[in-house]
């Protein structure tokens, strides 16, 4: 590299980046580095839906719900922000290669006790499209299998983003074990295998729209994970949701596991996720009653449990979830009368209850939400249309409901 002094660290990370380049078809990484602009709103294809195909097209669109909240802004680092980026494998410092971000970091102590600093790779950002899975980068073809052994040696790596590409193979355990890693985004690829165990420091894990299988990793009781976003929707995950998720992930704000094959019951420890605002477990095979502890999860704002096998009644204690804005319970096996507890949810804007086995008459208090004297009406759906009544669906009497609210 033109005779300049190069630390052992630089030799290593330059070699590792070259291995990544060749392993992932680097000669076809078209597009400028400016495509990684840090504007990471929610990405992913529409969810796979399971359930009653008789539901009309409008309701089908409603059930393809995605978060309106954006992903948090990433740090996109470089050795010098005024320096132009150069192609991979060029003779310039590797921190000035496209798609690579670095930062000056203490990497050791010399014989005199002085701190040794060097520019180390902090992030690798190679999106195949924007974060919504749209506007693909022309010619971008990041494909192949991640070289886990080499990635695991980038010990200062904080972020890796390769969403909406053609990655195959499994997610390297060596990568997920890195101590400084806090952001992983492999959304919209063709990755297989299981979700590896990850470190306590990982905060954002985006793996939706892949072909991952097996059970969720174990969450060790002795650890306190920093995870805030866990998005592994539209895969083939099976098994139950670990009860230890509630006891070890106190920082979780958004949990998106919809479109999998998860089974068993909703863990009673979910109320311990005291920061959780967005819970989407739709289109799985979850069953049983909603646990008592669910009604104590007061931080929840958006809850999607539709297209599962839940049964039992929704209790009046639902009124405790005072921050709820959207609650989708449709296409399950809930039964009993419609509780008036919904009436006390002042923030509620959407309530989907259709295709269950609710009975009786909608409470008068509830009608105040369905057709309020002032303000926007609650977006609610119920089985209150006699003409569409079927043998397996009970009929709910709702004198205040409009035609659009009666499924």
């Amino acid at each position: 590299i033109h005779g300049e002094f190069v630390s052992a660290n630089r030799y290593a990370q330059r070699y590792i980046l070259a291995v990544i380049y060749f392993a992932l078809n680097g000669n076809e990484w078209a597009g400028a580095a400016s495509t990684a602009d840090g504007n990471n709103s929610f990405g992913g294809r529409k969810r796979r839906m399971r359930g009653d195909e008789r539901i009309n097209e409008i309701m089908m669109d409603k059930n393809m719900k995605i978060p309106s909240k954006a992903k948090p802004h990433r740090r996109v680092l470089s050795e010098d922000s005024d320096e132009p980026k150069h192609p991979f494998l060029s003779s310039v410092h590797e921190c000035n290669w496209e798609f690579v971000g670095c930062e000056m970091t203490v990497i050791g102590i010399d014989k005199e006790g002085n701190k040794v600093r060097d520019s180390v790779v902090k992030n690798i950002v190679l999106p195949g499209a924007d974060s919504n899975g749209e506007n693909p980068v022309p010619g971008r073809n990041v494909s192949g299998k991640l070289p886990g052994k080499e990635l695991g040696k980038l010990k200062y790596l904080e972020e890796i983003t390769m969403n909406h590409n053609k990655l195959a193979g499994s997610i390297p355990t060596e990568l997920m074990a890195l101590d400084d890693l806090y952001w992983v985004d492999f959304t919209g690829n063709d990755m297989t295998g299981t979700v590896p165990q990850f470190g306590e420091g990982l905060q954002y894990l985006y793996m939706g729209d892949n072909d991952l299988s097996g059970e969720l990793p174990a969450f060790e009781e002795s650890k306190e994970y920093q995870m805030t976003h866990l998005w592994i929707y539209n895969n083939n995950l099976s098994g139950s949701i670990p009860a230890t998720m509630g006891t070890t992930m106190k920082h979780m704000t958004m949990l998106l596991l919809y479109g999998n094959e998860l089974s068993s019951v909703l863990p009673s420890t979910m109320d311990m996720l005291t920061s959780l605002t967005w819970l989407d477990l739709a289109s799985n095979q979850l069953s049983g009653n909603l646990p008592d502890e669910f009604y104590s999860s007061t931080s929840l704002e958006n809850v999607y449990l539709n297209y599962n096998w839940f049964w039992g009644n929704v209790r009046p204690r639902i009124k405790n979830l005072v921050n709820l804005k959207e609650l989708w319970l449709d296409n399950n096996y809930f039964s009993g009368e419609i509780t008036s507890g919904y009436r006390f949810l002042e923030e509620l804007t959407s309530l989907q209850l259709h295709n269950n086995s609710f009975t009786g008459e909608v409470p008068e208090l509830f009608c105040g939400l369905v057709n309020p004297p002032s303000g926007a009406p609650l977006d609610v759906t119920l089985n209150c249309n006699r003409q569409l009544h079927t043998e397996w669906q009970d009929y709910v009497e709702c004198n205040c409901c409009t035609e659009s609210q009666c499924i």
Side-chain angles (χ1 to χ4, degrees), residues 40-49 59-71 130-134 164 187 208-209 231 233-234 254-259 277-282 301-304 306 326 328 350:
N40 277 278
S41 57
F42 172 82
R45 304 163 215 153
K46 289 183 177 180
R47 70 171 62 165
R48 299 177 305 207
M49 296 307 302
M59 286 310 303
M60 202 61 163
D61 288 339
K62 283 185 179 181
N63 279 282
M64 292 175 178
K65 189 67 180 176
I66 59 175
S68 58
K69 294 183 179 180
K71 291 180 184 175
D130 66 22
S131 53
N132 293 313
E134 301 172 353
H164 304 293
T187 305
D209 284 322
W231 297 12
Y233 55 85
N234 284 351
M254 301 183 75
L255 178 60
L256 278 68
L257 298 175
Y258 65 77
T277 61
W278 198 294
L279 176 64
D280 195 338
L281 304 177
E301 297 179 8
N302 298 75
V303 176
Y304 308 101
N306 47 315
E326 294 195 344
W328 291 10
S350 181

Side-chain angles (χ1 to χ4, degrees), residues 48-62:
R48 299 177 305 207
M49 296 307 302
R50 303 183 181 92
D52 186 0
E53 295 182 356
R54 292 169 298 170
I55 192 168
N56 62 51
E57 183 177 354
I58 294 176
M59 286 310 303
M60 202 61 163
D61 288 339
K62 283 185 179 181

Side-chain angles (χ1 to χ4, degrees), residues 262-309:
L262 297 171
S263 57
S264 191
V265 299
L266 198 62
S268 60
T269 55
M270 294 297 288
D271 66 318
M272 300 179 72
L273 298 173
T274 54
S275 299
L276 190 65
T277 61
W278 198 294
L279 176 64
D280 195 338
L281 304 177
S283 299
N284 278 287
Q285 299 169 17
L286 299 168
S287 61
N289 286 284
L290 296 180
D292 288 343
E293 293 80 3
F294 172 78
Y295 301 99
S296 301
S297 304
T298 55
S299 61
L300 287 172
E301 297 179 8
N302 298 75
V303 176
Y304 308 101
L305 302 178
N306 47 315
Y307 286 92
N308 276 288
W309 298 347

Side-chain angles (χ1 to χ4, degrees), residues 168-243:
S170 59
I171 300 164
T173 56
E174 300 93 338
L175 169 68
M176 301 302 288
L178 290 172
D179 291 336
D180 290 354
L181 193 67
Y182 82 96
W183 180 297
V184 174
D185 189 352
F186 292 137
T187 305
N189 281 284
D190 298 310
M191 306 192 80
T192 57
T194 60
V195 180
Q197 181 64 54
F198 44 80
E200 292 180 74
L202 189 64
Q203 298 178 41
Y204 306 101
L205 182 57
Y206 304 113
M207 293 183 178
D209 284 322
N210 277 283
D211 199 20
L212 302 173
S213 58
E215 299 186 1
L216 288 165
F219 306 118
E220 299 178 32
E221 286 277 13
S222 59
K223 295 183 177 181
E224 183 176 343
Y225 297 92
Q226 301 302 306
M227 182 72 67
T228 62
H229 287 191
L230 182 59
W231 297 12
I232 318 181
Y233 55 85
N234 284 351
N235 279 279
N236 298 303
L237 300 182
S238 58
S240 60
I241 300 173

Side-chain angles (χ1 to χ4, degrees), residues 96-113:
N96 287 324
W97 289 353
E98 286 186 313
F99 319 117
V100 176
C102 294
E103 190 170 65
M104 190 66 73
T105 301
V106 175
I107 63 170
I109 304 294
D110 64 17
K111 294 180 180 179
E112 285 74 37

